[in-house]
């Protein structure tokens, strides 16, 4: 079971804070550092000092880290043109020595689009499907050949399809709760399917849908990695769990019901239940980025038991 650190910087984090967390992620033996792709805080947070761009952040971290993988859960398809995104991600993969993964979704938070003048189209899923076809098509085109695409939303003519990622196959992540279109899209384009903030029962059901869609598309169901993203709140005792829950404005019982919370033993037990239904990777949503002791506890008391 891979454990990856997943951050939500729109809630309030500078690049320096993210760099500190990414370096701790690497030093403490976690598999990867991922971040959300949002420009506006949610809930009661003031978002200070302001948003950071996901791919600019990852470009910086690509040069400041050596081992961990880097990526997004999920890049908002509404934020970037697919040709530009393919260039950005390929360049950062080169900068990192081949450690980047692309999580791509439709984009959903209308308020942040209004706040920064970003168009928020009514039809987003069809755009996402074309974006995936274009990004993966550009990367797969042989050097010296051209790539063209004629879609409803995007058209490319005689693109040189450069640059290429450092990896021969840069992993693409697709996720979500949708019962039909999402599994179909994952079966066609994804190397990993991520279930965000889903129960064990819902995750098992959705993983089954994706496996079935993959087999219908001519792939083996286990060709994909299946993963979960879950909020995490671990403490060495009840008082520490309660303190960490209060710091992120959540209730302990709610966190235990909907995430990974409690003592290290409780969290290891719940992780085993996700593993039993086929999850092979967990993205641990860390909401208090100043609490590096939390990461150390997870590393020494949770991750150590999984290996």
């Amino acid at each position: 079971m891979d454990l990856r650190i997943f951050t939500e910087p729109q809630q309030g984090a500078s690049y320096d804070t993210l760099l500190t967390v990414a370096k701790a992620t690497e030093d403490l033996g976690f598999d990867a550092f991922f971040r959300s792709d949002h420009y506006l805080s949610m809930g009661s947070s003031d978002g200070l000092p302001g948003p950071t761009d996901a791919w600019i952040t990852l470009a910086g971290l690509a040069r400041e880290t050596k081992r961990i993988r880097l990526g997004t859960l999920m890049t908002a398809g509404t934020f970037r043109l697919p040709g530009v995104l393919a260039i950005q991600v390929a360049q950062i993969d080169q900068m990192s020595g081949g450690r980047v993964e692309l999580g791509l979704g439709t984009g959903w938070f209308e308020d942040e689009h209004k706040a920064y003048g970003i168009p928020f189209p009514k039809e987003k899923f069809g755009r996402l499907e074309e974006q995936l076809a274009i990004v993966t098509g550009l990367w797969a085109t042989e050097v010296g050949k051209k790539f063209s695409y004629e879609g409803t939303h995007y058209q490319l003519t005689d693109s040189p399809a450069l640059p290429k990622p450092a990896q021969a196959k840069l992993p693409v992540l697709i996720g979500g709760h949708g019962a039909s279109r999402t599994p179909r899209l994952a079966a066609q384009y994804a190397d990993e399917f991520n279930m965000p903030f889903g129960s064990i029962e819902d995750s098992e059901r959705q993983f089954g849908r994706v496996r079935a869609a993959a087999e219908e598309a001519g792939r083996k169901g286990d060709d994909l990695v299946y993963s979960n993203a879950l909020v995490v709140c671990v403490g060495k005792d009840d008082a520490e769990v309660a303190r960490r829950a209060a710091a992120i404005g959540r209730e302990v019982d709610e966190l235990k019901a909907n995430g990974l919370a409690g003592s290290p033993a409780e969290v290891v037990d719940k992780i085993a239940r996700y593993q039993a239904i086929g999850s092979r990777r967990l993205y641990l949503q860390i909401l208090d980025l100043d609490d590096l002791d939390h990461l150390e506890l997870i590393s020494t008391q949770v991750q150590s038991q999984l290996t």
Side-chain angles (χ1 to χ4, degrees), residues 242-261:
R243 176 177 62 79
R244 289 199 163 110
I248 60 174
R250 305 279 285 269
E251 297 293 331
V252 172
D253 289 346
E254 179 268 323
L255 287 169
K256 286 187 176 184
N258 298 314
L260 300 172

Side-chain angles (χ1 to χ4, degrees), residues 62 85-96 100 139 163-166:
L85 181 63
I87 292 170
Q88 291 172 323
V89 177
Q91 181 181 0
I92 298 170
D93 195 48
Q94 292 176 3
M95 292 167 67
S96 72
V100 165
W139 290 340
K164 302 300 186 191

Side-chain angles (χ1 to χ4, degrees), residues 124-182:
K124 293 180 285 295
F125 202 90
R127 290 176 181 271
L128 174 62
E129 188 162 7
E130 291 190 15
Q131 289 164 344
L132 286 161
I134 291 165
V135 170
T136 58
L138 287 167
W139 290 340
T141 299
E142 293 181 22
V143 174
K145 293 188 176 180
K146 299 293 180 72
F147 176 84
S148 296
Y149 183 86
E150 188 67 30
T152 301
H153 306 286
Y154 305 102
Q155 297 81 39
L156 286 73
T157 303
D158 292 336
S159 172
L162 297 171
K164 302 300 186 191
Q167 298 172 85
K169 178 68 174 70
L170 191 149
V172 172
L173 289 72
I174 294 173
H177 296 255
S180 57
R181 293 192 299 176
T182 296

